[in-house]
């Protein structure tokens, strides 16, 4: 399962997908090998949850390994069509994986996206930025044959209403500015108008990307907050600088957007995924498909074994 947001965002707040999209086959081989060896070495019988980080150069690091189930077990079970918690309980009770007909990794042909439900609007003054501290209070799932459609469904389920047109407010910190042009061009191709404050606008202008400048909250009026109040901004992509000014002006702007129910994206990966989802929504109509219809009837074979095996639990 691959997280969409990069490392630094709590796993409970990060959107994630099955199967993986950007992880190389060599890294996947390493993860499979290490996980199997670790489980055998510490003699795990049942479920084990491992988290890995992969550097830009492709180096794999094991962050943690927990010999227990995780919150994502229900999501993974629905994504691959196998009840993993039930399998684990049966294995711990003495059944073998061969008896359960579950001996190979399932890599589905469809895409499943897990998205976090974040309660920011229920807590006055709470900032919407994501980080290592978990904020989510629930999870939703989007499933489709294509990544963009699945991500769009997950956003809708989580209450994030992505606009199909309008004005995008774009403000990236220095660390994420190398991705600025990529994000801007993606939304320009979708027909969005872009407005930015001075620092971000300067970088876009150097790239030859059309952008309209808007004042920061402390620079005078009309500023970005006024545009929000006037309904002139439909979507915001903001990565925080974390400095004192951002803690004052930035927080106020983000809270204002939340009050006016304007979608806010606070990571580069989330912005690019959202652009794909918006393009999909503009080009086609989402189809609601029953979860069972994503799986071949043959895949339910092991469930028959489960019915007889469950009698002694």
């Amino acid at each position: 399962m691959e997280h969409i947001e990069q490392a630094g965002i709590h796993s409970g707040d990060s959107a994630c997908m099955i199967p993986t999209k950007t992880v190389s086959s060599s890294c996947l081989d390493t993860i499979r090998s290490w996980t199997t060896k670790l489980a055998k070495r510490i003699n795990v019988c049942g479920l084990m949850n491992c988290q890995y980080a992969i550097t830009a150069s492709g180096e794999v690091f094991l962050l943690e390994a927990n010999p227990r189930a995780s919150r994502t077990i229900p999501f993974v079970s629905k994504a691959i069509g196998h009840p993993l918690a039930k399998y684990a309980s049966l294995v711990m009770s003495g059944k073998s994986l061969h008896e359960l007909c579950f001996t190979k990794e399932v890599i589905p042909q469809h895409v499943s996206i897990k998205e976090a439900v974040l309660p920011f609007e229920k807590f006055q003054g709470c900032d919407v930025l994501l980080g290592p501290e978990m904020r989510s209070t629930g999870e939703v799932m989007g499933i489709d044959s294509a990544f963009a459609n699945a991500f769009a469904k997950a956003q809708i389920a989580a209450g994030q209403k992505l606009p199909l047109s309008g004005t995008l407010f774009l403000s990236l910190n220095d660390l994420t500015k190398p991705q600025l042009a990529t994000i801007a061009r993606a939304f320009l191709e979708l027909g969005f108008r872009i407005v930015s404050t001075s620092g971000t606008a300067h970088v876009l202008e150097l790239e030859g990307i059309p952008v309209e400048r808007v004042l920061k909250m402390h620079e005078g009026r009309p500023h970005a907050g006024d545009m929000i109040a006037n309904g002139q901004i439909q979507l915001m992509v903001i990565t925080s600088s974390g400095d004192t000014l951002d803690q004052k002006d930035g927080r106020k702007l983000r809270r204002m957007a939340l009050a006016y129910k304007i979608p806010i994206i606070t990571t580069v990966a989330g912005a690019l995924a959202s652009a794909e989802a918006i393009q999909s929504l503009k080009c086609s109509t989402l189809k609601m498909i029953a979860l069972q219809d994503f799986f071949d009837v043959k895949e339910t074979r092991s469930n028959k074994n489960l019915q007889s095996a469950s009698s002694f639990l």
Side-chain angles (χ1 to χ4, degrees), residues 5 18 108 118 252 260-261 276 282:
E5 284 81 9
I18 295 176
L118 299 160
K252 185 177 179 181
Y260 282 87
K261 299 189 182 303
E276 286 190 56
K282 288 170 71 76

Side-chain angles (χ1 to χ4, degrees), residues 272-293:
L272 295 174
S274 296
E276 286 190 56
I278 292 172
Q279 183 178 27
S280 175
L281 291 171
K282 288 170 71 76
C283 296
S284 61
T285 302
L286 293 180
K287 296 180 180 178
M288 299 300 105
I289 307 170
L291 183 63
Q292 293 85 345
D293 292 342

Side-chain angles (χ1 to χ4, degrees), residues 83-105:
L84 297 181
K86 181 173 282 189
Y87 287 177
S89 64
L90 291 171
V91 167
M92 293 168 71
S93 301
K95 286 287 179 178
S96 70
L97 291 174
H98 286 280
E99 290 177 284
L100 301 178
C101 300
F102 189 65
T103 57
K104 293 183 179 180
E105 178 184 356

